[in-house]
Coordinates of all heavy atoms in Angstrom, one line a residue:
M1 N -187.9 -214.3 28.1 CA -189.0 -213.9 27.4 C -190.3 -214.2 28.2 O -190.4 -215.3 28.8 CB -189.1 -214.8 26.1 CG -190.3 -214.6 25.3 SD -190.6 -215.6 23.8 CE -189.0 -215.9 23.2
S2 N -191.1 -213.3 28.3 CA -192.3 -213.5 29.1 C -193.4 -214.4 28.4 O -193.3 -214.6 27.1 CB -193.0 -212.2 29.4 OG -193.6 -211.6 28.3
W3 N -194.3 -214.9 29.1 CA -195.3 -215.8 28.5 C -196.2 -215.0 27.5 O -196.7 -215.6 26.5 CB -196.1 -216.5 29.5 CG -197.0 -215.6 30.3 CD1 -196.7 -214.9 31.4 CD2 -198.4 -215.2 30.0 NE1 -197.8 -214.1 31.9 CE2 -198.8 -214.3 31.0 CE3 -199.3 -215.6 29.0 CZ2 -200.1 -213.8 31.0 CZ3 -200.6 -215.1 29.1 CH2 -201.0 -214.2 30.0
I4 N -196.4 -213.7 27.7 CA -197.1 -212.9 26.8 C -196.4 -212.8 25.4 O -197.1 -212.9 24.4 CB -197.4 -211.5 27.4 CG1 -198.3 -211.6 28.6 CG2 -198.1 -210.6 26.3 CD1 -198.5 -210.3 29.4
S5 N -195.1 -212.6 25.4 CA -194.4 -212.6 24.2 C -194.4 -213.9 23.5 O -194.5 -214.0 22.3 CB -192.9 -212.2 24.5 OG -192.8 -211.0 25.1
F6 N -194.3 -215.0 24.3 CA -194.4 -216.4 23.7 C -195.8 -216.6 23.0 O -195.8 -217.1 21.9 CB -194.2 -217.4 24.8 CG -194.1 -218.8 24.3 CD1 -192.9 -219.2 23.7 CD2 -195.1 -219.7 24.5 CE1 -192.9 -220.5 23.2 CE2 -195.1 -221.0 24.0 CZ -193.9 -221.4 23.4
V7 N -196.8 -216.2 23.7 CA -198.2 -216.3 23.1 C -198.3 -215.5 21.8 O -198.9 -215.9 20.8 CB -199.3 -216.0 24.1 CG1 -200.6 -215.9 23.5 CG2 -199.3 -217.0 25.3
A8 N -197.7 -214.3 21.8 CA -197.8 -213.4 20.7 C -197.0 -214.0 19.5 O -197.5 -214.0 18.3 CB -197.2 -212.0 21.0
I9 N -195.9 -214.6 19.7 CA -195.1 -215.3 18.7 C -195.9 -216.5 18.2 O -195.9 -216.7 17.0 CB -193.7 -215.7 19.2 CG1 -192.9 -214.4 19.4 CG2 -193.0 -216.6 18.3 CD1 -191.6 -214.7 20.1
Y10 N -196.5 -217.2 19.0 CA -197.3 -218.4 18.6 C -198.4 -218.0 17.7 O -198.7 -218.6 16.7 CB -197.8 -219.2 19.8 CG -198.5 -220.5 19.4 CD1 -197.7 -221.6 19.1 CD2 -199.8 -220.5 19.3 CE1 -198.4 -222.8 18.7 CE2 -200.5 -221.7 18.9 CZ -199.7 -222.8 18.6 OH -200.4 -223.9 18.2
F11 N -199.1 -216.9 18.1 CA -200.2 -216.4 17.4 C -199.8 -216.0 16.0 O -200.5 -216.3 15.0 CB -200.9 -215.2 18.1 CG -202.0 -214.6 17.4 CD1 -203.3 -215.2 17.4 CD2 -201.9 -213.4 16.8 CE1 -204.4 -214.6 16.8 CE2 -203.0 -212.8 16.1 CZ -204.2 -213.4 16.1
V12 N -198.7 -215.3 15.8 CA -198.3 -214.8 14.5 C -197.8 -216.0 13.7 O -198.2 -216.1 12.5 CB -197.1 -213.8 14.7 CG1 -196.5 -213.5 13.3 CG2 -197.6 -212.5 15.3
V13 N -197.1 -216.9 14.3 CA -196.7 -218.1 13.5 C -197.9 -219.0 13.1 O -197.9 -219.5 12.0 CB -195.6 -218.9 14.4 CG1 -195.4 -220.3 13.7 CG2 -194.4 -218.2 14.5
W14 N -198.9 -219.1 14.0 CA -200.0 -219.9 13.7 C -200.8 -219.3 12.5 O -201.2 -220.1 11.6 CB -201.0 -219.9 14.9 CG -202.1 -220.9 14.8 CD1 -202.0 -222.2 15.2 CD2 -203.3 -220.8 14.2 NE1 -203.2 -222.9 14.9 CE2 -204.0 -222.0 14.3 CE3 -204.0 -219.7 13.5 CZ2 -205.3 -222.2 13.8 CZ3 -205.3 -219.9 13.0 CH2 -205.9 -221.1 13.2
W15 N -200.9 -218.0 12.4 CA -201.6 -217.4 11.3 C -200.9 -217.5 10.0 O -201.4 -217.8 8.9 CB -202.0 -215.9 11.5 CG -203.3 -215.7 12.2 CD1 -203.4 -215.4 13.5 CD2 -204.6 -215.9 11.7 NE1 -204.8 -215.4 13.9 CE2 -205.5 -215.7 12.7 CE3 -205.1 -216.3 10.4 CZ2 -206.9 -215.8 12.6 CZ3 -206.4 -216.4 10.3 CH2 -207.3 -216.1 11.3
L16 N -199.5 -217.3 10.0 CA -198.7 -217.5 8.8 C -198.8 -219.0 8.4 O -198.9 -219.3 7.2 CB -197.3 -217.1 9.1 CG -197.1 -215.6 9.3 CD1 -195.6 -215.3 9.7 CD2 -197.4 -214.9 8.0
T17 N -198.7 -219.9 9.3 CA -198.8 -221.3 8.9 C -200.1 -221.7 8.4 O -200.2 -222.6 7.5 CB -198.5 -222.2 10.2 OG1 -197.2 -221.7 10.8 CG2 -198.3 -223.6 9.8
L18 N -201.2 -221.1 8.9 CA -202.5 -221.4 8.3 C -202.6 -221.2 6.8 O -203.1 -222.0 6.1 CB -203.6 -220.5 9.0 CG -205.0 -220.7 8.5 CD1 -205.6 -222.1 8.8 CD2 -205.9 -219.6 9.1
F19 N -202.1 -220.1 6.4 CA -202.1 -219.8 4.9 C -201.2 -220.7 4.1 O -201.4 -220.9 2.9 CB -201.8 -218.3 4.7 CG -202.9 -217.4 5.2 CD1 -202.6 -216.6 6.2 CD2 -204.2 -217.4 4.6 CE1 -203.7 -215.7 6.7 CE2 -205.2 -216.6 5.1 CZ -204.9 -215.8 6.2
A20 N -200.2 -221.3 4.8 CA -199.3 -222.2 4.1 C -200.0 -223.6 4.0 O -199.8 -224.4 3.1 CB -198.0 -222.3 4.8
V21 N -200.8 -224.0 5.0 CA -201.4 -225.3 5.2 C -202.7 -225.4 4.4 O -203.1 -226.5 4.0 CB -201.6 -225.7 6.6 CG1 -202.4 -226.9 6.8 CG2 -200.2 -225.9 7.3
L22 N -203.4 -224.3 4.2 CA -204.8 -224.3 3.6 C -204.9 -225.1 2.3 O -205.8 -225.8 2.1 CB -205.3 -222.9 3.5 CG -206.1 -222.4 4.7 CD1 -206.5 -220.9 4.4 CD2 -207.3 -223.2 5.0
P23 N -203.9 -224.9 1.4 CA -204.1 -225.6 0.1 C -203.9 -227.1 0.1 O -204.3 -227.8 -0.9 CB -203.1 -224.9 -0.8 CG -202.4 -223.9 -0.1 CD -202.9 -223.9 1.3
F24 N -203.3 -227.6 1.1 CA -203.0 -229.1 1.1 C -204.2 -229.9 1.3 O -205.0 -229.7 2.1 CB -202.0 -229.4 2.2 CG -200.6 -228.8 2.0 CD1 -200.1 -228.0 3.0 CD2 -199.9 -229.1 0.9 CE1 -198.8 -227.5 2.8 CE2 -198.6 -228.5 0.7 CZ -198.1 -227.7 1.7
G25 N -204.4 -230.9 0.4 CA -205.5 -231.8 0.5 C -206.8 -231.3 0.0 O -207.9 -231.9 0.3
V26 N -206.8 -230.2 -0.7 CA -208.1 -229.6 -1.1 C -208.5 -230.3 -2.4 O -207.7 -230.4 -3.4 CB -208.0 -228.1 -1.4 CG1 -209.3 -227.6 -2.0 CG2 -207.7 -227.4 -0.1
R27 N -209.7 -230.8 -2.5 CA -210.3 -231.4 -3.7 C -211.3 -230.4 -4.3 O -212.1 -229.9 -3.6 CB -210.9 -232.7 -3.5 CG -209.9 -233.8 -3.0 CD -210.5 -235.2 -3.0 NE -211.2 -235.6 -4.3 CZ -210.7 -236.1 -5.4 NH1 -209.4 -236.2 -5.4 NH2 -211.4 -236.4 -6.4
T28 N -211.1 -230.1 -5.6 CA -212.0 -229.1 -6.2 C -213.2 -229.9 -6.7 O -213.3 -231.1 -6.8 CB -211.3 -228.4 -7.4 OG1 -211.0 -229.4 -8.4 CG2 -210.1 -227.7 -6.9
Q29 N -214.2 -229.1 -7.1 CA -215.5 -229.6 -7.6 C -215.2 -230.3 -9.0 O -215.8 -231.3 -9.3 CB -216.5 -228.6 -7.8 CG -217.0 -228.0 -6.5 CD -218.1 -226.9 -6.6 OE1 -218.6 -226.7 -7.7 NE2 -218.4 -226.2 -5.6
D30 N -214.2 -229.7 -9.7 CA -213.8 -230.3 -11.0 C -213.2 -231.6 -10.8 O -213.4 -232.5 -11.7 CB -212.9 -229.3 -11.7 CG -212.7 -229.7 -13.2 OD1 -213.7 -230.2 -13.8 OD2 -211.6 -229.5 -13.7
D31 N -212.4 -231.8 -9.8 CA -211.8 -233.1 -9.5 C -212.8 -234.2 -9.3 O -212.6 -235.4 -9.8 CB -210.9 -233.1 -8.3 CG -209.7 -232.2 -8.4 OD1 -209.3 -232.0 -9.6 OD2 -209.1 -231.8 -7.4
D32 N -214.0 -233.9 -8.7 CA -215.0 -234.9 -8.5 C -216.1 -234.9 -9.5 O -217.1 -235.6 -9.4 CB -215.6 -234.7 -7.1 CG -214.7 -235.0 -6.0 OD1 -213.7 -235.7 -6.2 OD2 -214.9 -234.4 -4.9
N33 N -215.9 -234.1 -10.6 CA -217.0 -233.9 -11.6 C -218.3 -233.7 -11.1 O -219.3 -234.2 -11.5 CB -217.0 -235.2 -12.5 CG -215.7 -235.4 -13.3 OD1 -215.1 -234.4 -13.7 ND2 -215.3 -236.6 -13.5
A34 N -218.4 -232.8 -10.1 CA -219.7 -232.4 -9.5 C -219.7 -230.9 -9.2 O -219.7 -230.4 -8.1 CB -219.8 -233.1 -8.1
V35 N -219.7 -230.2 -10.3 CA -219.7 -228.7 -10.3 C -221.1 -228.2 -10.0 O -222.0 -228.5 -10.7 CB -219.1 -228.1 -11.6 CG1 -219.1 -226.6 -11.5 CG2 -217.7 -228.6 -11.8
T36 N -221.2 -227.5 -8.9 CA -222.5 -226.9 -8.6 C -222.8 -225.7 -9.5 O -221.9 -224.8 -9.7 CB -222.5 -226.4 -7.1 OG1 -222.2 -227.6 -6.3 CG2 -223.9 -225.9 -6.7
L37 N -224.0 -225.6 -10.0 CA -224.3 -224.5 -10.8 C -224.1 -223.1 -10.1 O -224.5 -222.9 -9.0 CB -225.8 -224.6 -11.3 CG -226.3 -223.6 -12.3 CD1 -225.5 -223.8 -13.6 CD2 -227.8 -223.8 -12.5
G38 N -223.4 -222.2 -10.8 CA -223.2 -220.9 -10.3 C -221.9 -220.8 -9.5 O -221.6 -219.7 -9.0
T39 N -221.1 -221.8 -9.4 CA -219.8 -221.8 -8.8 C -218.7 -222.1 -9.8 O -219.0 -222.9 -10.7 CB -219.7 -222.8 -7.6 OG1 -219.9 -224.1 -8.1 CG2 -220.8 -222.5 -6.6
P40 N -217.5 -221.6 -9.6 CA -216.4 -222.0 -10.5 C -216.0 -223.5 -10.2 O -216.2 -224.0 -9.1 CB -215.3 -221.0 -10.1 CG -215.6 -220.6 -8.7 CD -217.1 -220.6 -8.6
A41 N -215.5 -224.1 -11.3 CA -215.0 -225.5 -11.2 C -213.9 -225.6 -10.2 O -213.7 -226.7 -9.6 CB -214.6 -226.0 -12.5
S42 N -213.1 -224.5 -9.9 CA -212.0 -224.6 -9.0 C -212.4 -224.4 -7.6 O -211.5 -224.4 -6.7 CB -211.0 -223.6 -9.4 OG -211.5 -222.3 -9.3
A43 N -213.7 -224.3 -7.3 CA -214.1 -224.1 -5.9 C -213.9 -225.4 -5.1 O -214.0 -226.5 -5.7 CB -215.6 -223.7 -5.8
P44 N -213.6 -225.3 -3.8 CA -213.4 -226.6 -3.0 C -214.7 -227.4 -3.0 O -215.8 -226.8 -3.0 CB -213.1 -226.1 -1.6 CG -212.6 -224.7 -1.8 CD -213.3 -224.1 -3.0
R45 N -214.5 -228.7 -2.9 CA -215.7 -229.6 -2.9 C -216.5 -229.5 -1.6 O -217.7 -229.5 -1.6 CB -215.3 -231.0 -3.1 CG -216.4 -232.0 -3.2 CD -216.0 -233.4 -3.5 NE -217.1 -234.3 -3.6 CZ -217.7 -234.8 -2.6 NH1 -217.3 -234.5 -1.4 NH2 -218.7 -235.7 -2.8
G46 N -215.8 -229.3 -0.5 CA -216.5 -229.2 0.7 C -215.6 -228.6 1.8 O -214.4 -228.3 1.5
P47 N -216.1 -228.3 2.9 CA -215.3 -227.7 4.0 C -214.2 -228.6 4.5 O -214.4 -229.8 4.6 CB -216.3 -227.3 5.1 CG -217.4 -228.3 4.9 CD -217.5 -228.6 3.4
H48 N -213.0 -228.1 4.8 CA -211.9 -228.8 5.3 C -211.2 -228.0 6.4 O -210.0 -228.2 6.6 CB -211.0 -229.3 4.2 CG -210.2 -228.1 3.6 ND1 -210.8 -227.3 2.7 CD2 -209.0 -227.7 3.7 CE1 -209.9 -226.4 2.3 NE2 -208.8 -226.6 2.9
M49 N -211.9 -227.1 7.0 CA -211.3 -226.2 8.0 C -210.8 -226.9 9.2 O -209.7 -226.6 9.8 CB -212.2 -225.1 8.4 CG -212.3 -224.0 7.3 SD -210.7 -223.3 6.9 CE -210.2 -222.5 8.4
L50 N -211.5 -227.9 9.7 CA -211.0 -228.6 10.9 C -209.7 -229.3 10.7 O -208.8 -229.2 11.5 CB -212.1 -229.7 11.4 CG -211.7 -230.4 12.6 CD1 -211.6 -229.5 13.8 CD2 -212.8 -231.5 12.9
R51 N -209.6 -230.0 9.5 CA -208.3 -230.6 9.2 C -207.2 -229.5 9.0 O -206.1 -229.8 9.5 CB -208.5 -231.4 7.9 CG -207.2 -232.2 7.5 CD -207.5 -233.0 6.3 NE -208.0 -232.1 5.2 CZ -208.6 -232.6 4.1 NH1 -208.7 -233.9 4.0 NH2 -209.0 -231.7 3.2
A52 N -207.5 -228.4 8.4 CA -206.5 -227.3 8.3 C -206.1 -226.7 9.6 O -204.9 -226.5 9.9 CB -207.1 -226.2 7.4
I53 N -207.1 -226.6 10.5 CA -206.8 -226.0 11.9 C -205.9 -227.0 12.7 O -204.9 -226.6 13.3 CB -208.1 -225.7 12.6 CG1 -208.7 -224.4 12.0 CG2 -207.8 -225.4 14.1 CD1 -210.1 -224.1 12.5
I54 N -206.2 -228.3 12.6 CA -205.4 -229.3 13.3 C -204.0 -229.3 12.7 O -203.0 -229.3 13.5 CB -206.0 -230.6 13.3 CG1 -207.3 -230.6 14.1 CG2 -205.1 -231.7 13.8 CD1 -208.2 -231.8 14.0
G55 N -203.8 -229.3 11.4 CA -202.5 -229.3 10.8 C -201.7 -228.1 11.1 O -200.5 -228.1 11.4
T56 N -202.4 -226.9 11.1 CA -201.8 -225.6 11.4 C -201.3 -225.6 12.8 O -200.2 -225.2 13.1 CB -202.8 -224.5 11.2 OG1 -203.2 -224.5 9.8 CG2 -202.2 -223.2 11.6
T57 N -202.1 -226.1 13.8 CA -201.7 -226.2 15.2 C -200.4 -227.1 15.3 O -199.5 -226.7 16.1 CB -202.8 -226.7 16.0 OG1 -203.9 -225.8 15.8 CG2 -202.5 -226.7 17.5
L58 N -200.4 -228.2 14.7 CA -199.2 -229.1 14.8 C -198.0 -228.5 14.2 O -196.9 -228.5 14.9 CB -199.5 -230.4 14.1 CG -200.6 -231.3 14.8 CD1 -200.9 -232.5 13.9 CD2 -200.1 -231.8 16.1
V59 N -198.1 -227.9 13.0 CA -196.9 -227.3 12.4 C -196.4 -226.1 13.2 O -195.2 -225.9 13.4 CB -197.2 -227.0 10.9 CG1 -196.1 -226.2 10.3 CG2 -197.5 -228.2 10.1
A60 N -197.4 -225.2 13.6 CA -197.0 -224.0 14.4 C -196.4 -224.4 15.7 O -195.4 -223.8 16.2 CB -198.2 -223.1 14.6
S61 N -196.9 -225.5 16.3 CA -196.3 -225.9 17.6 C -194.8 -226.4 17.4 O -194.0 -226.1 18.2 CB -197.1 -227.0 18.2 OG -198.4 -226.5 18.5
I62 N -194.6 -227.1 16.3 CA -193.2 -227.5 16.0 C -192.3 -226.4 15.8 O -191.2 -226.3 16.3 CB -193.2 -228.5 14.8 CG1 -193.9 -229.8 15.2 CG2 -191.8 -228.8 14.3 CD1 -194.2 -230.7 14.1
I63 N -192.8 -225.4 15.0 CA -191.9 -224.2 14.7 C -191.6 -223.4 16.0 O -190.5 -223.0 16.2 CB -192.6 -223.3 13.7 CG1 -192.7 -224.0 12.3 CG2 -191.9 -222.0 13.5 CD1 -193.5 -223.4 11.3
V64 N -192.7 -223.1 16.8 CA -192.5 -222.4 18.0 C -191.7 -223.2 19.0 O -190.9 -222.6 19.8 CB -193.8 -221.9 18.6 CG1 -193.7 -221.2 19.9 CG2 -194.5 -220.9 17.6
G65 N -191.9 -224.5 19.0 CA -191.1 -225.3 19.9 C -189.6 -225.3 19.5 O -188.7 -225.2 20.4
G66 N -189.3 -225.3 18.3 CA -187.9 -225.1 17.8 C -187.3 -223.7 18.2 O -186.2 -223.6 18.6
F67 N -188.2 -222.7 18.0 CA -187.7 -221.4 18.4 C -187.4 -221.3 20.0 O -186.4 -220.8 20.4 CB -188.8 -220.3 18.1 CG -188.5 -219.0 18.6 CD1 -187.5 -218.2 18.0 CD2 -189.2 -218.4 19.7 CE1 -187.3 -216.9 18.4 CE2 -188.9 -217.2 20.1 CZ -188.0 -216.4 19.5
Y68 N -188.3 -222.0 20.7 CA -188.1 -222.0 22.2 C -186.8 -222.8 22.5 O -186.1 -222.3 23.4 CB -189.3 -222.6 22.9 CG -189.2 -222.6 24.4 CD1 -189.6 -221.5 25.1 CD2 -188.8 -223.8 25.1 CE1 -189.5 -221.5 26.5 CE2 -188.7 -223.8 26.4 CZ -189.0 -222.6 27.1 OH -188.9 -222.6 28.5
W69 N -186.6 -223.9 21.8 CA -185.4 -224.6 22.1 C -184.1 -223.8 21.7 O -183.1 -223.9 22.5 CB -185.4 -225.9 21.3 CG -184.2 -226.7 21.4 CD1 -183.7 -227.4 22.5 CD2 -183.2 -227.0 20.3 NE1 -182.6 -228.1 22.2 CE2 -182.2 -227.8 20.9 CE3 -183.1 -226.5 19.0 CZ2 -181.1 -228.2 20.1 CZ3 -182.0 -227.0 18.3 CH2 -181.1 -227.8 18.8
L70 N -184.2 -223.1 20.6 CA -183.0 -222.2 20.2 C -182.7 -221.1 21.3 O -181.6 -220.8 21.6 CB -183.2 -221.6 18.9 CG -183.0 -222.5 17.7 CD1 -183.4 -221.8 16.4 CD2 -181.5 -223.0 17.6
T71 N -183.8 -220.5 21.7 CA -183.6 -219.4 22.6 C -183.4 -219.7 24.1 O -182.6 -219.1 24.7 CB -184.8 -218.4 22.6 OG1 -186.0 -219.1 22.9 CG2 -185.0 -217.8 21.2
H72 N -184.1 -220.8 24.6 CA -183.9 -221.2 26.0 C -183.0 -222.3 26.1 O -182.2 -222.4 27.1 CB -185.3 -221.5 26.6 CG -186.1 -220.2 26.9 ND1 -186.8 -219.6 25.9 CD2 -186.2 -219.5 28.0 CE1 -187.4 -218.5 26.4 NE2 -187.1 -218.4 27.7
G73 N -183.0 -223.3 25.2 CA -182.1 -224.5 25.3 C -180.7 -224.2 25.0 O -179.8 -224.6 25.7
L74 N -180.5 -223.5 23.8 CA -179.1 -223.2 23.4 C -178.7 -221.8 23.7 O -177.5 -221.5 23.6 CB -179.0 -223.4 21.9 CG -179.3 -224.8 21.4 CD1 -179.2 -224.9 19.9 CD2 -178.3 -225.8 22.0
G75 N -179.6 -220.9 24.1 CA -179.2 -219.6 24.6 C -179.0 -218.6 23.5 O -178.5 -217.5 23.7
Y76 N -179.5 -218.9 22.3 CA -179.4 -217.9 21.2 C -180.4 -216.8 21.4 O -181.5 -217.0 22.0 CB -179.6 -218.5 19.8 CG -178.4 -219.4 19.4 CD1 -178.5 -220.8 19.3 CD2 -177.2 -218.8 19.1 CE1 -177.5 -221.5 18.9 CE2 -176.1 -219.6 18.7 CZ -176.3 -220.9 18.6 OH -175.2 -221.7 18.2
S77 N -180.2 -215.6 20.8 CA -181.1 -214.5 20.7 C -181.0 -213.8 19.4 O -180.2 -214.2 18.5 CB -180.8 -213.5 21.8 OG -179.6 -212.8 21.6
F78 N -181.8 -212.8 19.2 CA -181.8 -212.1 17.9 C -180.5 -211.4 17.7 O -180.1 -211.1 16.6 CB -183.0 -211.2 17.8 CG -184.3 -211.8 17.6 CD1 -185.3 -211.8 18.5 CD2 -184.5 -212.6 16.4 CE1 -186.5 -212.4 18.3 CE2 -185.7 -213.2 16.2 CZ -186.7 -213.2 17.1
D79 N -179.8 -211.0 18.8 CA -178.5 -210.4 18.7 C -177.4 -211.3 18.2 O -176.4 -210.8 17.8 CB -178.1 -209.8 20.1 CG -179.1 -208.8 20.6 OD1 -179.7 -208.1 19.8 OD2 -179.2 -208.6 21.8
D80 N -177.6 -212.6 18.2 CA -176.6 -213.5 17.7 C -176.7 -213.8 16.2 O -175.8 -214.4 15.7 CB -176.8 -214.8 18.5 CG -176.5 -214.7 20.0 OD1 -175.6 -213.9 20.3 OD2 -177.1 -215.4 20.8
I81 N -177.7 -213.3 15.6 CA -177.9 -213.6 14.1 C -176.7 -213.0 13.3 O -176.2 -213.8 12.5 CB -179.3 -213.0 13.6 CG1 -180.4 -213.9 14.3 CG2 -179.4 -213.1 12.1 CD1 -181.8 -213.4 14.0
P82 N -176.3 -211.8 13.5 CA -175.1 -211.4 12.7 C -173.8 -212.2 12.9 O -173.0 -212.3 12.1 CB -174.9 -209.9 13.2 CG -176.2 -209.5 13.7 CD -176.8 -210.7 14.3
L83 N -173.7 -212.8 14.1 CA -172.5 -213.6 14.4 C -172.6 -215.0 13.8 O -171.6 -215.7 13.7 CB -172.4 -213.7 15.9 CG -172.3 -212.4 16.7 CD1 -172.2 -212.6 18.2 CD2 -171.1 -211.6 16.2
M84 N -173.7 -215.4 13.3 CA -173.9 -216.7 12.7 C -173.4 -216.8 11.2 O -173.1 -217.8 10.7 CB -175.3 -217.2 12.7 CG -175.8 -217.5 14.1 SD -177.5 -218.0 14.0 CE -177.9 -218.0 15.7
V85 N -173.3 -215.6 10.6 CA -172.9 -215.5 9.2 C -171.3 -215.5 9.2 O -170.7 -214.7 9.9 CB -173.4 -214.2 8.5 CG1 -173.0 -214.1 7.1 CG2 -174.9 -214.3 8.6
P86 N -170.7 -216.3 8.4 CA -169.2 -216.3 8.3 C -168.7 -214.9 7.8 O -169.4 -214.2 7.0 CB -168.9 -217.4 7.3 CG -170.1 -218.3 7.3 CD -171.2 -217.4 7.6
Q87 N -167.6 -214.5 8.3 CA -167.1 -213.2 8.0 C -166.8 -212.9 6.5 O -167.0 -211.8 6.0 CB -165.8 -212.9 8.8 CG -166.0 -212.8 10.3 CD -167.0 -211.6 10.6 OE1 -166.9 -210.5 10.0 NE2 -167.8 -211.8 11.6
N88 N -166.4 -214.0 5.8 CA -166.1 -213.8 4.3 C -167.4 -213.6 3.5 O -167.4 -213.1 2.4 CB -165.3 -214.9 3.8 CG -165.9 -216.3 4.0 OD1 -167.0 -216.4 4.6 ND2 -165.2 -217.3 3.5
L89 N -168.5 -214.0 4.1 CA -169.8 -213.8 3.4 C -170.5 -212.6 3.8 O -171.5 -212.1 3.2 CB -170.7 -215.0 3.6 CG -170.3 -216.4 3.1 CD1 -171.2 -217.5 3.5 CD2 -170.1 -216.3 1.6
A90 N -170.1 -211.9 4.9 CA -170.8 -210.8 5.4 C -170.4 -209.5 4.7 O -171.0 -208.5 5.0 CB -170.4 -210.6 6.9
R91 N -169.6 -209.5 3.7 CA -169.2 -208.3 3.0 C -170.2 -207.8 2.1 O -171.0 -208.0 1.5 CB -167.9 -208.5 2.3 CG -166.7 -208.7 3.2 CD -165.5 -208.8 2.5 NE -164.5 -209.6 3.3 CZ -163.5 -210.2 2.8 NH1 -163.2 -210.1 1.6 NH2 -162.7 -210.9 3.6

């Protein structure tokens, strides 16, 4: 796999992971009893993007690192996926 493919895979995994990590640790205005006039009570209390970006980078690095270990360390590829399913379950 070329480095361009590796960067493309990391980019896609990073974006998917971002949407999975965003809701963690969010405190709403209603949780703090400080609802700003004109905003819904479920709106986030303040920005938390830096924490979300750091968490996303860590989780995406672990996922892509695992993928790299499977493909380069153990030698698996996408062609091996059908062979991983037991024959009695493949029907």
Side-chain angles (χ1 to χ4, degrees):
M1 175 185 328
S2 71
W3 67 274
I4 295 174
S5 299
F6 186 76
V7 170
I9 289 171
Y10 185 81
F11 180 75
V12 170
V13 170
W14 193 90
W15 273 105
L16 290 173
T17 307
L18 174 66
F19 292 113
V21 169
L22 272 176
F24 293 123
V26 174
R27 293 192 50 85
T28 63
Q29 293 179 14
D30 191 36
D31 292 340
D32 292 338
N33 293 327
V35 180
T36 304
L37 186 61
T39 63
S42 60
R45 184 176 181 279
H48 68 284
M49 282 305 295
L50 181 61
R51 185 176 52 195
I53 288 171
I54 291 170
T56 299
T57 302
L58 290 174
V59 172
S61 297
I62 292 169
I63 292 170
V64 173
F67 174 75
Y68 183 81
W69 176 69
L70 282 173
T71 57
H72 286 81
L74 297 179
Y76 287 113
S77 69
F78 287 116
D79 295 334
D80 295 326
I81 292 174
L83 303 175
M84 292 179 187
V85 179
Q87 290 300 321
N88 57 358
L89 296 177
R91 292 184 206 161

